[in-house]
Amino acid sequence: MPKVSVVVPTHDSGPHLDSLVASLLRQSLPATEYEAVFVDDGSTDDTPARLERLAAEHAHFRVLRTGNSGWPSRPRNLGVAHARGEYVVFADDDDWLGDEALERLYDCARAHDADIVIGRMAGHGRGVPRELFRRNRFDATLANSPLIDSLTCHKMFRRAFLDEHGLRFPEGWPRRLEDHRMVVRSYLLSRRTCVLSDYTCYHHARRGDAGNVTATRLDPAEYYASLREALDIVDAHTEPGPLRDQLHRRWLRNEMLNRVRGKRMLDAPEEWLTQVVREIQEVIRDRFAPGVAAGLPPLQRVLAHLLEQGRTADLRRMAEWEAGVRAAGTVERHDLSGTTLTVAVSARLEAAGRPVTFASDDDRDVLVLPVDGLDPALREVTATLGRSRLDLVARHQETREEVFLPVTADHRWVPGPAGERHLLHRAVATVDAAALNCGRTTGTWTLKARVTSAGWAEDAHLPLRLRFTADGAAPVVEDERALWHRLRRAVGRRIRRR
C-alpha cells in the first residue's frame, strides 16, 4: 500500500498540468511510496491523451475518466474511492507541490497520529492564509488556532478517517464552496489536526487565462445557499456561544464583507451587486447571533451594519474611500553584522496619501469614516487597538514563500488637525538571516511591513532586498533607494557627456 495518494481532478487542463506533474516527479518521497490519481472530468481537449502518456511512462501515475460534471467534487470523490494510499492529498491541476511536501506531510501525520495535516501555502496571484502559518501546530483545533482561515481542500487527510465519517465533497447543486462544507466538517470530526508551517508544501496559483473554474462570476442565490449549508454543518456540531460566533464570523468576514470592499465592489455590475447585498442581508438576519458582528474590528462592524440595513449607496461610498487605503512603511535603519540582520521600521495606514485617522467621542476613540449617521459604538476602536500590530515579512521573490520575522513592536498616537490623530507603528527585527526559512534561503528576498489595525491588514513594500547564494555565504543587503540614486546619477553623467 502506498503511503500517499495525490488526487487531481482535471478538465481541459492542457499544459497547465505541467507544473504539477513536474513537482510530483521531483518528490523526495520515493515513487514506490506514493501514487498520483488523475480523474478527468470529461475533457474535450488533449488532456486525456496527455494523462495516458504520463501513466504509460510512470507506474505510480493512474488515470480515471468520467463524464463531465462541471465541478471538481465528483472527480475528487472518485479519486478517493480509487485511492490506495494511507493518506490522501488533494491538489488542483494548475497548482504544484513543494519538492519535499509529501514526505514532510506524511512524516508529520505519522509522528502525531493526525487525521489532517495542513502544509504551509504560497500564493501566486491569489491569497492564502497568513496567521495560520506563523508556527507549527501539532494539536490545532477550531478553538485554539485560526484553522477556519483555511477551508480549501489542499491538505493531507487520513483515508480511513475520510471513509469512517463518509467525508466526501457535495455533488449536484449548489456547487460553490464545496471545499468549505467538506473541510469544516473534517475539522469538527478530526481527532488530531496538525499545521506544518516550516516548509511550503502547496503552491496555489491563479491561471493567467482566468481558467480556474471558480474564477467565473458567482450566482448570488447559489453561492449563499452553499454558504448556508456550511453554516448548517457548524451549527450541527457546536452549541450557541463564542465558538459558534467565531466560526460564523469567518464567513461573514471573507464571503460577505470582502465582496463589498474597495475595488472589488466598484467593479461589480449594479444589478449583480444588488442581488449580492440582498442575499447577504438575509443571511445576516436569519443566521447570525449578535455576537458574530460584535466580534469584528470597527471597520468590518460598520460594513456588516450597512449590509444588514441594505445601505448600498453608503457601501459604495465606503468602497470608494477604502480603495485608496494603503500601508506606508519606512526603513529607519538596517544593519548586517555577519549573518545577523537588524531592521527597524515604522508604518501607518493611509487613505489617498493621508493617515487613516481617529477622533475622540465621549472619551472613546472612534474611526473617522466617510459615511454619516453611524452609531459611534460601531466605530469605536478603544477595545481593539491593543490588537493592532506591525509585522515584518520576508517574501521570496521567485517562490513567493513568506516568513514572519520575530519582532519587538509597539505603536503610539500622532496628533493631527482638528483634534484627530493616527497610529504610528514601529517594529524592530533582529534575526539570523542564514536561518531564514529554516536555512532554505538561496535567491532574493524582499521585505514587507504588514499593518493590522481596525479591520485592515495591509502590506507596504520596503526598499530592502536580501540576496543569498547557494554556498551559504552571508547575504548581500541591497537598499533599492541607494540603487535608484546611483542609477539616476549614472544616467545624469551620460546625459552631460553627450
Side-chain angles (χ1 to χ4, degrees), residues 58-238:
H58 305 285
H60 58 308
F61 282 20
R62 293 196 288 140
V63 180
L64 305 173
R65 298 185 66 180
T66 182
N68 180 242
S69 68
W71 212 251
S73 289
R74 177 164 172 73
R76 285 177 182 152
N77 290 341
L78 284 172
V80 174
H82 288 81
R84 298 178 296 210
E86 181 184 357
Y87 283 85
V88 174
V89 169
F90 295 102
D92 285 347
D93 57 356
D94 42 8
D95 298 336
W96 64 94
L97 303 173
D99 293 357
E100 302 172 24
L102 298 184
E103 181 178 13
R104 286 174 176 265
L105 290 168
Y106 180 79
D107 287 349
C108 179
R110 289 304 301 269
H112 299 280
D113 192 25
D115 289 327
I116 307 171
V117 184
I118 309 166
R120 189 173 81 195
M121 302 176 185
H124 301 259
R126 63 187 305 162
V128 295
R130 293 170 166 176
E131 291 303 311
L132 183 61
F133 300 117
R134 277 185 179 268
R135 57 181 175 84
N136 288 336
R137 306 168 192 265
F138 298 123
D139 192 11
T141 69
L142 288 167
N144 70 14
S145 66
L147 279 180
I148 197 66
D149 289 351
S150 180
L151 290 180
T152 67
C153 66
H154 310 108
K155 303 163 174 55
M156 175 176 278
F157 298 84
R158 194 198 309 264
R159 183 162 59 91
F161 167 69
L162 297 178
D163 291 342
E164 176 188 356
H165 297 287
L167 289 161
R168 296 296 188 267
F169 296 90
E171 300 182 27
W173 297 83
R175 300 189 298 187
R176 295 277 183 168
L177 303 180
E178 79 286 350
D179 289 34
H180 290 204
R181 286 171 277 168
M182 184 271 196
V183 172
V184 75
R185 185 164 173 253
S186 299
Y187 287 157
L188 289 159
L189 295 170
S190 174
R191 290 172 288 261
R192 184 178 293 270
T193 298
C194 294
V195 179
L196 194 62
S197 299
D198 56 11
Y199 183 80
T200 301
C201 295
Y202 198 86
H203 291 265
H204 211 26
R206 183 177 299 280
R207 275 167 50 172
D209 62 356
N212 308 66
V213 68
T214 52
T216 53
R217 189 176 295 281
L218 62 87
D219 173 79
E222 179 210 337
Y223 189 83
Y224 289 103
S226 296
L227 188 147
R228 286 172 181 265
E229 290 191 3
L231 299 178
D232 289 341
I233 293 169
V234 170
D235 292 356
H237 290 84
T238 62

Side-chain angles (χ1 to χ4, degrees), residues 1-12:
M1 180 176 73
K3 293 178 176 178
V4 183
S5 297
V6 183
V7 172
V8 185
T10 64
H11 176 75
D12 289 353

Side-chain angles (χ1 to χ4, degrees), residues 385-403:
L385 285 184
R387 297 192 291 272
S388 296
R389 65 178 181 271
L390 174 60
D391 286 305
L392 298 185
V393 180
R395 181 180 176 90
H396 196 278
Q397 192 164 284
E398 290 79 28
T399 66
R400 300 296 190 263
E401 296 175 89
E402 288 191 352
V403 179

